Amino acid sequence: MSNTQDKKHIVIIGSGVIGLTIAQVVTTRFPDKYRVTIVARDTPEDLTSQAFSSPWALKGANWSPFSVEMPDHKTFRRELETFNTFWDMEHTGLTYNVPYTIYFPEAQGLENVWFKALVRDFRVLSPEELPSGFTGGVKFSTITVNPIKYLPWLKNELLNRGVVFVKRQIHTIGEAADIAGPEGIIFNATGLGARSLIGVEDKLVYPIRGQTILVEAPAVKECVALPIGTGENPDGKATYIIPRPSQGHVIIGGTYQKNNWDTSVNFETAREIWDRAVEFLPALKSDKSRIISHNVGLRPAREGGPRIELQKVRLPFVSDLMHGVKGTISEERELPIIHAYGFGGTGYQASWGSAEEAVSLLESI
């Protein structure tokens, strides 16, 4: 085994579910080839930071379809790989295999929806199983994750593998290059931060505001939802009820509001969310249920979809936005940066497949 300092240095910017999963894949595939450092302003312990989207998991940290329309091949592969990984983790208590029902205003073509090949136990609901106002529905088994337990578990796994965590905000690619050192490699998993990271400055990145309610409701054992579609619904409403592993916690939502940066709780919206949820699952109002918290966070989306690609940046890094600031690297070279951000509400449900895809790009360096 080589000395740690002799290994190439990988620096991952961002410790959300994507950054942590990338570190898992790197250290699994290449246990002796790289030393890995994760640098982030927010870490898995920062569970209440509204600028840190992973702990909020505003669509429930589960797998669910955003549309009945078939996604592109890469998206399907990322989600299939992630679904299978989470499904096989149920014995750990970090994930929960649970029934999921989606009601549709129109029933046409539901027997052939694309996700039939991804989920388990798929079937189309009979007319007798539909609530008033809906003409179609499907039921299947899916996975849900508890972020409050899952993110710290990922971090502990990485610490046991020798991954170093540095709590620090990175403002420029040059800062990351300084940490990585000669022949270093960067993974950019900054989510919304990719918009303001100097040297990336991706203006295609935008937030999708999500407001939810966390409820203790032990009687709720299955997911219920209406189709979110592509998130372009004019009122920004998204109805879903998702139980999480352990403690009888249920996340109910919600909103799906593009380009909305407001992180304050709207209590009128909260009442609407609660009333819609109770309409579908009256058990939420039982004497054994209680509201734990009202939550708001920002999903890190990107026009055109997620960015997973290799970019090479010339060093030393120079930007007129950081006039007079010089990094420690003075020799000219190309810095490899592998980008993995812009997943919107699909961060968890695409995490393992996306991380595998991003790490595969190391072969191109």
Side-chain angles (χ1 to χ4, degrees), residues 9-219:
H9 192 190
I10 286 177
V11 171
I12 300 170
I13 316 173
S15 65
V17 69
I18 297 297
L20 295 173
T21 310
I22 286 171
Q24 283 278 352
V25 173
V26 169
T27 53
T28 298
R29 281 203 204 177
F30 310 105
D32 300 318
K33 187 173 182 179
Y34 300 103
R35 58 189 178 99
V36 179
T37 300
I38 296 178
V39 184
R41 179 195 62 194
D42 301 308
T43 61
E45 294 81 18
D46 300 315
L47 298 177
T48 59
S49 172
Q50 289 175 301
F52 186 27
S53 62
S54 286
W56 298 97
L58 296 157
K59 201 178 64 61
N62 71 326
W63 188 91
S64 62
F66 273 75
S67 174
V68 295
E69 296 180 5
M70 179 71 180
D72 61 73
H73 175 69
K74 284 187 175 181
T75 299
F76 179 80
R77 187 181 68 238
R78 293 167 190 160
E79 298 202 4
L80 177 62
E81 187 165 350
T82 304
F83 186 98
N84 290 338
T85 299
F86 280 140
W87 185 270
D88 293 339
M89 288 177 65
E90 187 181 33
H91 70 280
T92 67
L94 297 165
T95 67
Y96 179 30
N97 301 345
V98 62
Y100 200 142
T101 301
I102 305 178
Y103 299 114
F104 293 87
E106 297 181 7
Q108 187 174 4
L110 292 182
E111 65 278 0
N112 295 314
V113 292
W114 68 273
F115 54 87
K116 178 179 181 180
L118 187 151
V119 298
R120 308 290 196 273
D121 310 317
F122 178 91
R123 69 179 180 88
V124 176
L125 297 179
S126 66
E128 293 75 26
E129 296 175 281
L130 300 174
S132 175
F134 295 89
T135 62
V138 297
K139 194 179 188 77
F140 53 87
S141 297
T142 188
I143 57 90
T144 181
V145 181
N146 186 345
I148 305 303
K149 290 189 174 183
Y150 182 64
L151 295 178
W153 174 82
L154 283 175
K155 181 178 179 180
N156 287 334
E157 286 285 301
L158 294 171
L159 288 171
N160 290 335
R161 299 180 183 194
V163 173
V164 174
F165 284 77
V166 177
K167 190 173 177 64
R168 169 181 168 183
Q169 184 169 359
I170 296 293
H171 299 91
T172 75
I173 287 299
E175 287 181 58
D178 288 346
I179 296 171
E183 300 185 10
I185 300 166
I186 306 297
F187 278 87
N188 171 25
T190 53
L192 281 176
R195 186 178 177 92
S196 56
L197 180 62
I198 296 174
V200 178
E201 303 157 55
D202 191 342
K203 300 307 181 188
L204 296 177
V205 172
Y206 67 94
I208 302 175
R209 180 182 181 274
Q211 180 169 327
T212 62
I213 304 174
L214 182 63
V215 182
E216 183 179 339

Side-chain angles (χ1 to χ4, degrees), residues 138-351:
V138 297
K139 194 179 188 77
F140 53 87
S141 297
T142 188
I143 57 90
T144 181
V145 181
N146 186 345
I148 305 303
K149 290 189 174 183
Y150 182 64
L151 295 178
W153 174 82
L154 283 175
K155 181 178 179 180
N156 287 334
E157 286 285 301
L158 294 171
L159 288 171
N160 290 335
R161 299 180 183 194
V163 173
V164 174
F165 284 77
V166 177
K167 190 173 177 64
R168 169 181 168 183
Q169 184 169 359
I170 296 293
H171 299 91
T172 75
I173 287 299
E175 287 181 58
D178 288 346
I179 296 171
E183 300 185 10
I185 300 166
I186 306 297
F187 278 87
N188 171 25
T190 53
L192 281 176
R195 186 178 177 92
S196 56
L197 180 62
I198 296 174
V200 178
E201 303 157 55
D202 191 342
K203 300 307 181 188
L204 296 177
V205 172
Y206 67 94
I208 302 175
R209 180 182 181 274
Q211 180 169 327
T212 62
I213 304 174
L214 182 63
V215 182
E216 183 179 339
V220 177
K221 301 295 185 183
E222 63 178 293
C223 303
V224 177
L226 305 184
I228 293 178
T230 59
E232 295 174 350
N233 46 329
D235 57 7
K237 294 179 181 177
T239 300
Y240 49 87
I241 303 160
I242 301 170
R244 286 180 167 173
S246 75
Q247 298 180 299
H249 287 182
V250 178
I251 195 82
I252 65 174
T255 63
Y256 201 83
Q257 299 164 328
K258 295 176 67 173
N259 291 302
N260 187 331
W261 293 88
D262 184 7
T263 57
S264 62
V265 174
N266 182 314
F267 288 106
E268 181 179 346
T269 299
R271 290 186 180 91
E272 292 175 356
I273 292 171
W274 179 252
D275 290 342
R276 291 201 307 268
V278 169
E279 180 182 348
F280 285 98
L281 276 182
L284 286 168
K285 293 194 75 172
S286 78
D287 293 339
K288 296 182 179 180
S289 299
R290 68 182 180 94
I291 291 177
I292 298 172
S293 64
H294 294 273
N295 316 302
V296 177
L298 304 176
R299 304 174 179 97
R302 183 174 183 269
E303 295 289 350
R307 183 185 186 189
I308 302 180
E309 66 177 357
L310 170 65
Q311 178 187 13
K312 294 187 177 180
V313 175
R314 295 296 304 173
L315 294 180
F317 179 79
V318 178
S319 171
D320 57 359
L321 294 171
M322 299 295 289
H323 176 73
V325 177
K326 295 182 180 179
T328 60
I329 297 178
S330 58
E331 68 274 13
E332 292 189 5
R333 74 173 182 93
E334 286 189 329
L335 171 70
I337 304 175
I338 297 174
H339 299 285
Y341 63 86
F343 295 90
T346 67
Y348 281 86
Q349 71 184 56
S351 57

